[in-house]
């Protein structure tokens, strides 16, 4: 019978100890290296909106977040920050570009200065009515424009879907507006986009670029005489309490865009990206249903508060007045304008 030498016993013992230590070390290293990856796989996306809780765009984005959480077993979720908690549109776009905000609902009017192609939908009286605008959003033209936002290297945004924002009209603290003459001399807040400033000046008013978060106090203090927006924004941001005169000019139908931070987007898996895009398309359809109901509620609330709601039967003089805007900006977007008008 062979008897092992004591030194061989010691060598075998040391080998076993070394292997145990090595195994423990490898396990610790693997645990350390995978911990950040596991932590990164669970994410809460910050979502921002200038509108208050209950607003269609806010609710649709919140519901997108709930569906996302359900589909990923709470691995991915959305935390909504409505009511300008994270800033106005300009500030939140900048935060989304650097990845501090991951999801943002913003007006195409505010995207135009960043992605010039989008300014085509900011042209006054471009759409015949809301049905025309919805056909654009739902069809290949709408997807084309969303893709142009995503493809723009300087924007830092991924465009997910469109959302309805109704037609924009004029409201002010001074008087009823029935004709172009009634606009003269009044200072109107517009989104900070050169097209809108030129449009307001062409209508006879003075266009004042201002963040949405400043409008209410500016109306109260007389810094501006009025603004232009859709009925729900007019009512549910309490602008109607300061500016009682609302004239249905419907000079703009500017859709909203739901965007994602490109910086955060590139960190997601292809599967997660596909899921978010699918849920965004569902949010586009859901928000539209919510919008139609909300718009009617806003009209009823404004009337109940005694607001002076003026219907403009003949918009032709207003359309003719903005011809200089079309002469200045139209040629640049003429191909896309033709596509939209024939949609």
């Amino acid at each position: 019978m062979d008897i092992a030498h004591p030194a061989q016993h010691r060598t075998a013992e040391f080998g076993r100890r070394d292997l145990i230590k090595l195994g423990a070390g490898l396990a610790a290293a693997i645990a350390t290296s995978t911990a950040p990856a596991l932590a990164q796989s669970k994410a809460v996306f910050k979502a921002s909106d200038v509108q208050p809780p209950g607003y269609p765009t806010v609710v649709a984005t919140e519901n997108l977040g709930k569906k996302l959480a359900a589909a990923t077993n709470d691995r991915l979720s959305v935390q909504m920050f409505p009511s300008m908690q994270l800033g106005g549109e300009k500030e939140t776009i900048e935060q989304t570009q650097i990845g501090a905000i991951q999801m943002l609902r913003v007006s195409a009017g505010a995207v135009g200065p960043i992605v010039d192609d989008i300014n085509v939908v900011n042209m006054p009286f471009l759409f015949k009515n809301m049905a025309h605008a919805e056909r654009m959003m739902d069809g290949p033209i709408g997807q084309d424009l969303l893709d142009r936002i995503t493809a723009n290297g300087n924007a830092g945004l991924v465009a997910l879907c469109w959302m309805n924002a109704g037609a924009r009209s004029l409201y002010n603290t001074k008087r009823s507006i029935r004709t172009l003459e009634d606009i003269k001399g009044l200072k109107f807040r517009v989104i900070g986009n050169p097209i809108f400033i030129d449009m307001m000046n062409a209508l006879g008013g003075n266009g004042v670029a201002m963040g949405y978060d400043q409008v209410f106090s500016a109306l109260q203090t007389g810094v501006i005489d009025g603004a232009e927006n859709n009925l729900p924004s007019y009512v549910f941001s309490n602008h109607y309490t300061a500016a009682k005169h609302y004239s249905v000019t419907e000079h703009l139908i500017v859709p909203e865009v739901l965007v994602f931070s490109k910086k955060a987007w590139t960190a997601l898996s292809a599967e997660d990206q596909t899921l978010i895009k699918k849920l965004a398309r569902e949010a586009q359809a859901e928000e539209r249903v919510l919008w139609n109901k909300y718009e009617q509620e806003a009209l009823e609330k404004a009337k109940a508060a005694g607001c002076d709601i003026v219907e403009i039967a003949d918009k032709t003089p207003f359309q003719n007045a903005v011809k200089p805007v079309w002469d200045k900006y139209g040629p640049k977007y003429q191909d896309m304008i033709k596509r939209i008008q024939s949609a």
Side-chain angles (χ1 to χ4, degrees):
M1 184 172 70
D2 293 333
I3 298 173
H5 192 276
Q8 290 177 306
H9 279 297
R10 286 196 297 273
T11 303
E13 184 63 23
F14 287 140
R16 282 193 293 273
R17 285 176 186 170
D18 289 343
L19 283 171
I20 290 167
K21 286 179 182 177
L22 180 62
L26 282 171
I30 290 166
T32 304
S33 66
T34 56
L38 290 171
Q40 286 168 4
S41 68
K42 184 164 186 174
V44 179
F45 301 133
K46 274 186 184 176
S48 176
D49 200 309
V50 296
Q51 300 294 356
Y55 198 87
T57 55
V58 173
V59 175
T61 305
E62 286 173 334
N63 289 345
L64 184 161
K66 290 173 186 174
K67 289 180 183 178
L68 183 62
T72 62
N73 294 316
D74 291 326
R75 180 173 58 82
L76 302 178
S77 59
V78 173
Q79 184 179 8
M80 189 75 224
F81 292 87
S83 302
M84 299 175 279
Q85 290 179 48
L86 302 180
E89 289 196 324
K90 184 177 183 294
E91 293 80 15
T92 51
I93 287 173
E94 290 168 356
Q95 290 178 67
T96 306
Q97 288 172 316
I98 64 170
I101 293 171
Q102 289 77 47
M103 195 176 288
L104 173 67
R105 196 287 307 158
V106 67
S107 170
V111 177
I114 302 165
V115 183
D116 187 57
D117 287 339
I118 301 306
N119 271 322
V120 67
V121 301
N122 297 325
M123 295 293 286
F125 298 108
L126 171 68
F127 298 106
K128 299 180 183 76
N129 47 40
M130 274 310 303
H132 182 199
E134 288 170 359
R135 282 197 300 275
M136 184 283 295
M137 288 185 256
D138 296 344
I141 299 171
Q143 188 58 53
D144 184 358
L145 290 171
L146 291 177
D147 291 344
R148 293 186 189 201
I149 295 173
T150 304
N152 187 292
N154 297 321
L157 305 171
V158 174
L160 298 176
C161 69
W162 298 102
M163 289 189 175
N164 275 38
R168 299 173 78 96
S169 294
L170 300 175
Y171 53 93
N172 76 98
T173 60
K174 301 292 187 184
R175 55 182 176 261
S176 298
I177 291 174
R178 289 181 164 82
T179 67
L180 287 170
E181 192 65 29
D182 298 325
I183 299 175
K184 285 186 178 175
L186 297 180
K187 298 189 295 291
F188 282 90
R189 176 266 175 176
V190 294
I191 295 172
N193 185 318
I195 290 178
F196 299 149
I197 295 169
D198 289 348
M199 175 201 69
M200 188 54 63
N201 294 343
L203 288 169
N206 296 318
V208 180
M210 180 182 291
Y212 190 71
D213 51 328
Q214 302 169 49
V215 177
F216 185 48
S217 61
L219 287 168
Q220 288 179 311
T221 57
V223 171
I224 54 174
D225 302 308
E228 51 85 50
N229 217 319
N230 55 58
L231 260 171
S233 295
Y234 168 65
V235 171
F236 295 108
S237 290
N238 290 319
H239 297 179
Y240 78 113
T241 61
K244 291 291 187 183
H245 306 284
Y246 191 96
S247 296
V248 188
T249 52
E250 297 182 327
H251 52 274
L252 288 168
I253 296 178
V254 178
E256 314 277 19
V257 190
L258 184 67
V259 298
F260 207 91
S261 168
K262 191 172 282 186
K263 190 170 185 182
W265 185 259
T266 54
L268 297 174
S269 68
E271 291 78 12
D272 287 342
Q273 291 175 352
T274 300
L275 174 61
I276 292 169
K277 284 182 177 179
K278 173 182 173 289
L279 297 178
R281 285 193 293 272
E282 292 174 11
Q284 177 171 317
E286 180 185 351
E287 189 271 347
R288 187 170 298 169
V289 175
L290 294 169
W291 178 267
N292 292 337
K293 183 182 175 186
Y294 209 64
E295 202 167 38
Q296 188 58 38
E297 289 175 9
L299 179 60
E300 290 167 5
K301 190 168 183 178
K303 286 181 175 176
C307 292
D308 170 35
I309 309 292
V310 177
E311 294 285 346
I312 307 291
D314 182 13
K315 298 186 177 71
T316 307
F318 294 84
Q319 293 167 338
N320 291 339
V322 298
K323 187 178 180 298
V325 179
W326 277 82
D327 291 341
K328 182 176 179 179
Y329 298 99
K332 190 192 295 188
Y333 313 116
Q334 60 180 342
D335 291 340
M336 184 60 75
I337 288 169
K338 285 175 185 174
R339 287 178 65 190
I340 290 171
Q341 290 181 335
S342 62

